[in-house]
Amino acid sequence: MIEVRVNEKLCRRMSASAFGTLALAILFLCPPSVRAQGGVPKFDVDPYWPKPLPGRWVTGELGGVCVDSEDHVFIAQRVNDVGGMDGHREGLTNDELNAGAAAPPVIEFDSEGKVVNSWGDPNLLPKDLHGCAIDHEGHVWLEGSEDGVVQEYSHDGKELLLQIGKRGIFDSSDGTVTGAPLNSSPTQFFRVSEIGFDPRNGDVYVADGHAKGKGGNNFRIVVYDKAGHYLRQWKLHRSPEELGTAAAPTVHCVRVSNDGQVYVCDRWMNRLQVFDTMGNFQKNIPFNFKVWTPATATSTGARKEAMLVGSASSVEFSLDPGQKYMYVINEIDEQIDIVDRSSGRVLDSFGRPGHQVGEFMHAHTMALDSKGNIYVGESVEGRRVQKFKIVGGK
């Protein structure tokens, strides 16, 4: 038997001009994975976005990125040393403070990358900002992974419109960050990770349970209406085989699709979990990763904890009505996976580890603008936001 191998680029060129008998030959010679990827979105980094920050500002770890209806990009970032639970400093270093100044916690950029507004009092905001979201009214929602509150602000940050929970109080056995998680309170949280909205009715979905260091955490989704009234909640799904043996549940993201599917990052299990809006479990979508430099017996720190970073840290959807594609941050491999939403199959990816333009170091969160461009925020060593322009595909 003769094995025929056809170069993938050649397949694409042949497919573009094929007809008749030749087209049938291409269908035989070119594998389905090659034929299926012709419309997959492509992205290039924009090295000129954002513009230089004013006033010698320096950003810390980026907790959240969100985009409003005018394609203004907001970042929520950590400039104070609010960490410690997980053993690393989350604010600015002494060298950074000697040479510059801490940027405000919330920064708004216009579509060209120029700073147009900034705000946020660290003494009032949720501790350890971990996400931001903008609703259909343009209000900015914030939460923190070392706190038990969710806050809603006016677009300019001048007015606190709503707060669910009390700062510094946790849904735990004793109300502290070291207490046992309860996963029960309708009005208090325990290490919030992210907020998503149901695009059909504006309901607010809170991912409650970012694992940090020695403390505990919740592992649930809590749903409110757009006025902040409690509706329902559910925990991450565990099969009977996984109970007691699976990695600690970590709810790192939540997004609701146009067809009413709730996608949740089950970070330490390296997968998305899909539910309906009532919390009924639908399926797991696993994401593979590779540790490129294997740990040795003497390896310490992050090298030994790669799987605790997670290969599914953030998810967004393409802008077509059917949301054919998902974009998933694979934080272990430092890339953005482009995924067929219906099958969960990874079709392509962009990014690589590093500190240069277009590379990632702890890619952590992302958002899309109205044109389909992706903005990626980096945490820990990265501490920046980058824009990736959509240049091809749907």
Side-chain angles (χ1 to χ4, degrees):
M1 180 177 180
I2 299 175
E3 182 179 4
V4 179
R5 295 183 181 273
V6 179
N7 179 272
E8 290 191 10
K9 291 184 178 179
L10 177 60
C11 279
R12 295 190 182 102
R13 290 199 299 269
M14 292 169 64
S15 297
S17 60
F19 60 91
T21 304
L22 178 58
L24 293 176
I26 290 170
L27 289 173
F28 173 76
L29 294 174
C30 297
S33 61
V34 174
R35 298 198 307 269
Q37 295 185 32
V40 176
K42 302 292 182 184
F43 296 88
D44 283 343
V45 67
D46 182 348
Y48 302 106
W49 199 102
K51 307 300 183 188
L53 299 177
R56 298 182 73 88
W57 287 357
V58 182
T59 54
E61 297 183 2
L62 264 68
V65 179
C66 48
V67 181
D68 69 11
S69 61
E70 302 298 321
D71 285 345
H72 283 207
V73 179
F74 288 67
I75 64 170
Q77 52 96 30
R78 311 160 188 162
V79 293
N80 296 326
D81 186 12
V82 298
M85 293 299 297
D86 55 355
H88 75 275
R89 180 185 175 94
E90 295 177 320
L92 302 185
T93 68
N94 288 331
D95 288 342
E96 289 169 329
L97 291 171
N98 287 339
V106 181
I107 303 175
E108 177 186 352
F109 302 89
D110 65 17
S111 60
E112 300 302 314
K114 179 182 177 181
V115 173
V116 294
N117 192 23
S118 61
W119 49 274
D121 182 348
N123 295 316
L124 300 177
L125 294 172
K127 189 177 181 182
D128 195 13
L129 290 173
H130 196 274
C132 70
I134 300 177
D135 63 23
H136 289 301
E137 298 180 88
H139 300 163
V140 181
W141 294 68
L142 300 172
E143 72 283 340
S145 61
E146 288 197 4
D147 217 327
V149 299
V150 165
Q151 294 178 338
E152 177 190 6
Y153 284 89
S154 59
H155 188 272
D156 59 9
K158 293 181 178 180
E159 184 179 359
L160 176 61
L161 304 173
L162 173 69
Q163 178 170 300
I164 305 174
K166 296 181 180 179
R167 292 182 76 248
I169 305 299
F170 298 84
D171 178 33
S172 70
S173 56
D174 61 3
T176 74
V177 74
T178 57
L182 296 180
N183 288 288
S184 62
S185 174
T187 58
Q188 200 70 51
F189 309 101
F190 194 170
R191 301 188 184 280
V192 190
S193 293
E194 194 173 62
I195 293 170
F197 303 107
D198 189 327
R200 302 167 303 171
N201 59 18
D203 283 351
V204 182
Y205 287 69
V206 178
D208 182 27
H210 182 275
K212 302 270 290 183
K214 298 178 181 179
N217 62 283
N218 280 345
F219 43 92
R220 62 175 178 161
I221 299 297
V222 193
V223 187
Y224 301 84
D225 67 18
K226 55 188 177 182
H229 301 124
Y230 172 81
L231 298 177
R232 59 190 172 275
Q233 62 178 299
W234 67 86
K235 297 178 184 177
L236 279 181
H237 175 77
R238 287 295 181 264
S239 69
E241 295 77 19
E242 291 173 337
L243 291 175
T245 61
T250 303
V251 188
H252 200 261
C253 78
V254 60
R255 285 291 180 265
V256 184
S257 62
N258 291 338
D259 56 3
Q261 299 293 290
V262 183
Y263 291 76
V264 179
C265 292
D266 189 3
R267 184 179 188 179
W268 282 2
M269 292 297 283
N270 303 296
R271 64 192 182 190
L272 292 176
Q273 291 205 321
V274 186
F275 303 84
D276 65 21
T277 53
M278 292 296 105
N280 298 303
F281 175 71
Q282 305 296 301
K283 62 181 178 180
N284 287 315
I285 305 177
F287 288 89
N288 297 323
F289 64 92
K290 176 181 177 180
V291 176
W292 292 82
T293 305
T296 66
T298 59
S299 297
T300 59
R303 288 278 305 287
K304 296 183 70 174
E305 299 170 356
M307 285 190 289
L308 301 187
V309 174
S311 61
S313 295
S314 182
V315 64
E316 295 288 352
F317 308 117
S318 58
L319 299 182
D320 55 289
Q323 298 178 321
K324 178 177 176 59
Y325 303 104
M326 296 190 298
Y327 308 112
V328 178
I329 290 182
N330 183 333
E331 195 169 348
I332 295 180
D333 283 343
E334 300 292 0
Q335 64 190 35
I336 312 299
D337 289 335
I338 302 172
V339 183
D340 177 75
R341 188 166 73 93
S342 63
S343 67
R345 186 165 63 97
V346 176
L347 304 174
D348 203 353
S349 64
F350 65 91
R352 52 151 289 169
H355 300 277
Q356 311 307 317
V357 172
E359 300 174 347
F360 302 123
M361 193 48 56
H362 281 276
H364 182 256
T365 183
M366 61 182 166
L368 272 68
D369 66 17
S370 66
K371 299 178 179 63
N373 304 313
I374 297 179
Y375 300 83
V376 181
E378 297 168 68
S379 182
V380 193
E381 287 90 355
R383 302 182 175 216
R384 63 178 173 178
V385 60
Q386 298 189 81
K387 176 182 180 179
F388 292 84
K389 298 182 295 184
I390 188 166
V391 295
K394 296 180 180 180

